[in-house]
Structures are given as C-alpha cells and as structure tokens.
C-alpha cells in the first residue's frame, strides 16, 4: 500500500452547534477555496441543529463547495428517504452533494430517539442493505423491490435523479465493515482520532483485499481522513499539533505514503483563525508538495 495517485482534496469539519456562526463559517470555507464541508450527524445532541437542514442551507448560501454528512446516522435516517434527500439537494445545488454514511453509535441515545438498538453484526448488515437501497433509489428502475432483514422496498418509485453520481463514503473501522467498503462503497472516511497513521496500512489493506476480490481496483476507492488538531505558532506538541510547516509535512506524508487523498480539517481553538490558516498556509503547500513528490 502507498500512494493511489488520486488528486488531493481538502475540506472543513463543521460542528453544528446551534450557537455558532455556522453559515458564516461555511461561506468562509467556500470563499477560501476548500473543496468540501462535512457536518457530523448526532440528532440526539441537544446543542446541535439538524445536519440535513444545515447542509441544505449551506448549499443554498455557497457557490462551489460540496457538502456531505460526516457521517449520517443510519439508524435514524431511513435509507430510501435519505437517498431522496441527497438526490434532491444534489439536484438543487447543481451536483454538490456526497453521502457519508455510518452504521450507528451511541445506541442509548439512538434508542431514546426512537431508533433501533443493533448489535455490531446487525449494524453492518443494515449498512450493507442501506447502500443497496440508496443506489436503487438513485437508479432508473420504474418500481423498486428489496426484501432485506432491516429494510424493504415494495414497489417504491424512485426519483428525481441526482445531478451527478453521488459517492457513498463509509465511516467504519471493523474488519467486516472495511471489507464492505472495498466491495461496495465509493470511499472510506476514518478519523485521525481512532485511525492514526500507524494503523492506516492495516486498515487500507483490508479494503484493498476486498476490492480486488470483488474485481475492483483499490485506487477507485476514495480515502478521506478527518484530521483533528491545531495549527500553532509554537513548537510541535505531537501529531497534527504544531506550526503550519509541520502540518504540510505530515499531511504530505499521509497522502503519498499512506494513501489518503482527502483531508477534512477539524481544528481546535479559534475556528475562524484555524480555518483561515489551514486554507491559506497548509492546503496550497500540501498540493504543491504532493505534486513534487509524485513527479520525483
């Protein structure tokens, strides 16, 4: 495993705190030239606005940046309706929507909101079914039928079609879920907090093996990375905590040495300052360094 050769992209991880200047921050990310905005999806969190509502408002108030849930809580988002929502927003925004999808976590909170409590096996089974259902709703069949253990379609009518082929990115970590990613998904979306660089070769290899067994090229699968830390003016205090040149070196190494191609920044501290520094001091330098290392 190493560099898959995909173009590098950069995004911003927007925490949907109701009291924060969410729209202003999203517009700044758009203006600063980032490629993506991801919003975490925890409907049971009382301080958060609804993720899909926020994504819709962001898409309406920006010009070019793409939006996605990072990642949608599947147990509280029925996949057929989620597919309809994603396709609708993609159509209305001119093709600026992707879909991050998670099997579920925080089961007490999910159950409190009326969602199902699933075992780890059930959660991955449901995730696989959901990918099938979502793609069916985006397809062109006149009437959809699917009889799964968790989801069913009984003559459902699809449409409207999305404006572009929406990618499905799975935020997963276990062996079965990584194999599912390799077989069926368009991308993998881990976080640096639970998938540090030293684990990436092992986890990527599981995806690659499953992709090859399914007749797919591993490079077809996007590798996104939620990166959490702080850009500072002082000395380094660890991975992704230090000056901009440290960030440039570490993200370049992760791209060309560990195969990750899309970095979604979750900054600590002053969000306005961190976003600006990431977009102006880190992003262009990483693009240049990756291009130089690949050319070399």
């Amino acid at each position: 495993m190493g560099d898959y050769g995909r173009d590098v992209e950069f995004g911003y991880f927007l925490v949907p705190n109701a009291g924060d200047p969410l729209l202003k921050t999203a517009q700044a990310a758009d203006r600063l030239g980032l490629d993506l905005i991801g919003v975490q999806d925890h409907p049971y969190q009382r301080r958060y606005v609804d993720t899909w509502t926020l994504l819709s408002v962001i898409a309406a108030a920006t010009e070019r940046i793409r939006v996605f849930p990072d990642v949608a809580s599947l147990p509280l988002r029925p996949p057929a309706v989620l597919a309809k929502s994603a396709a609708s927003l993609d159509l209305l925004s001119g093709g600026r929507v992707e879909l991050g999808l998670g099997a579920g976590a925080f089961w007490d909170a999910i159950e409190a909101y009326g969602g199902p409590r699933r075992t780890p096996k059930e959660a991955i089974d449901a995730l696989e079914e959901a990918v099938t259902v979502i793609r069916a709703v985006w397809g062109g069949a006149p009437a959809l039928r699917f009889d799964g253990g968790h989801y069913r379609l009984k003559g459902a009518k699809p449409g409207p079609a999305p404006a572009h082929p929406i990618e499905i990115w799975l935020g997963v970590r276990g062996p079965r879920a990584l194999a599912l990613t390799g077989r069926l998904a368009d991308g993998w979306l881990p976080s640096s907090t639970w998938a540090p660089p030293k684990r990436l070769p092992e986890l990527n290899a599981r995806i690659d093996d499953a992709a090859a067994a399914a007749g797919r090229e591993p490079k077809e699968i996007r590798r996104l990375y939620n990166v959490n830390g702080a850009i500072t003016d002082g000395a380094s205090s660890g991975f992704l905590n230090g000056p901009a040149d440290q960030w440039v070196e570490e993200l370049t190494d992760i791209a060309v040495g560990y195969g990750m191609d899309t970095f979604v920044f979750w900054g600590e501290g002053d969000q306005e300052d961190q976003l600006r520094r990431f977009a102006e001091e880190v992003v262009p330098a990483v693009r240049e360094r990756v291009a130089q290392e690949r050319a070399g």
Side-chain angles (χ1 to χ4, degrees):
M1 190 215 76
D3 185 5
Y4 298 96
R6 297 179 62 105
D7 291 342
V8 288
E9 291 195 323
F10 300 88
Y12 185 71
F13 186 90
L14 185 62
V15 179
N17 280 312
D20 290 351
L22 300 172
L23 189 55
K24 178 183 176 183
T25 302
Q27 290 172 323
D30 187 39
R31 187 173 60 253
L32 287 164
L34 296 187
D35 302 292
L36 296 159
I37 291 178
V39 179
Q40 60 181 291
D41 185 33
H42 298 289
Y44 35 76
Q45 169 55 263
R46 66 182 180 85
R47 298 190 304 273
Y48 290 177
V49 300
D50 174 68
T51 292
W52 205 262
T53 304
L54 176 57
L55 291 173
S56 299
V57 173
I58 289 172
T62 55
E63 297 181 0
R64 41 158 301 282
I65 200 163
R66 308 197 320 273
V67 301
F68 70 101
D70 191 358
V71 290
S73 179
L74 178 60
L76 293 173
R77 306 277 183 185
V81 177
L82 181 60
K84 175 87 170 187
S85 298
S88 300
L89 185 56
D90 193 59
L91 188 64
L92 293 167
S93 67
R96 294 193 287 129
V97 175
E98 311 293 354
L99 183 58
L101 197 57
F106 308 105
W107 294 104
D108 288 345
I110 288 171
E111 192 173 41
Y113 250 61
R117 179 183 291 272
R118 291 172 175 155
T119 66
K121 179 183 184 304
E122 290 170 340
I124 300 306
D125 289 344
L127 181 61
E128 181 166 358
E129 289 183 15
V131 173
T132 301
V133 167
I134 290 167
R135 291 224 171 99
V137 172
W138 291 340
L144 307 176
R145 298 191 180 276
F146 178 79
D147 189 18
H150 300 274
Y151 302 111
R152 293 173 179 80
L153 298 173
K154 299 182 178 181
K157 307 298 184 183
H164 87 295
I166 298 175
E167 294 188 357
I168 298 177
W169 305 331
L170 302 186
V172 295
R173 70 179 84 180
R176 284 190 65 223
L178 293 168
L180 170 62
T181 303
R183 286 189 289 109
L184 295 180
D186 301 298
W188 178 46
L189 179 53
S191 296
S192 61
T193 51
W194 55 262
K198 67 181 180 181
R199 292 208 63 204
L200 292 177
E202 165 205 349
L203 301 176
N204 269 319
R206 291 184 181 274
I207 295 172
D208 294 352
D209 290 345
R216 304 180 70 193
E217 288 287 341
K219 66 182 180 182
E220 294 176 14
I221 301 165
R222 187 186 299 271
R223 319 287 167 131
L224 304 99
Y225 203 29
N226 292 320
V227 289
N228 177 238
I231 304 168
T232 70
D233 291 317
S236 171
S237 58
F239 176 63
L240 296 181
N241 279 280
D245 58 356
Q246 176 189 335
W247 277 78
V248 172
E249 180 178 349
E250 290 177 340
L251 294 187
T252 300
D253 184 54
I254 293 168
V256 299
Y258 292 86
M260 310 307 282
D261 55 72
T262 303
F263 299 103
V264 183
F265 176 56
W266 184 358
E268 297 179 357
D270 183 326
Q271 294 300 293
E272 181 179 357
D273 177 67
Q274 288 290 294
L275 171 58
R276 180 190 57 78
R277 296 194 66 174
F278 181 70
E280 294 180 350
E281 300 176 30
V282 176
V283 169
V286 174
R287 290 191 196 276
E288 182 178 359
R289 284 279 299 277
V290 169
Q292 289 173 348
E293 297 211 11
R294 286 174 173 173

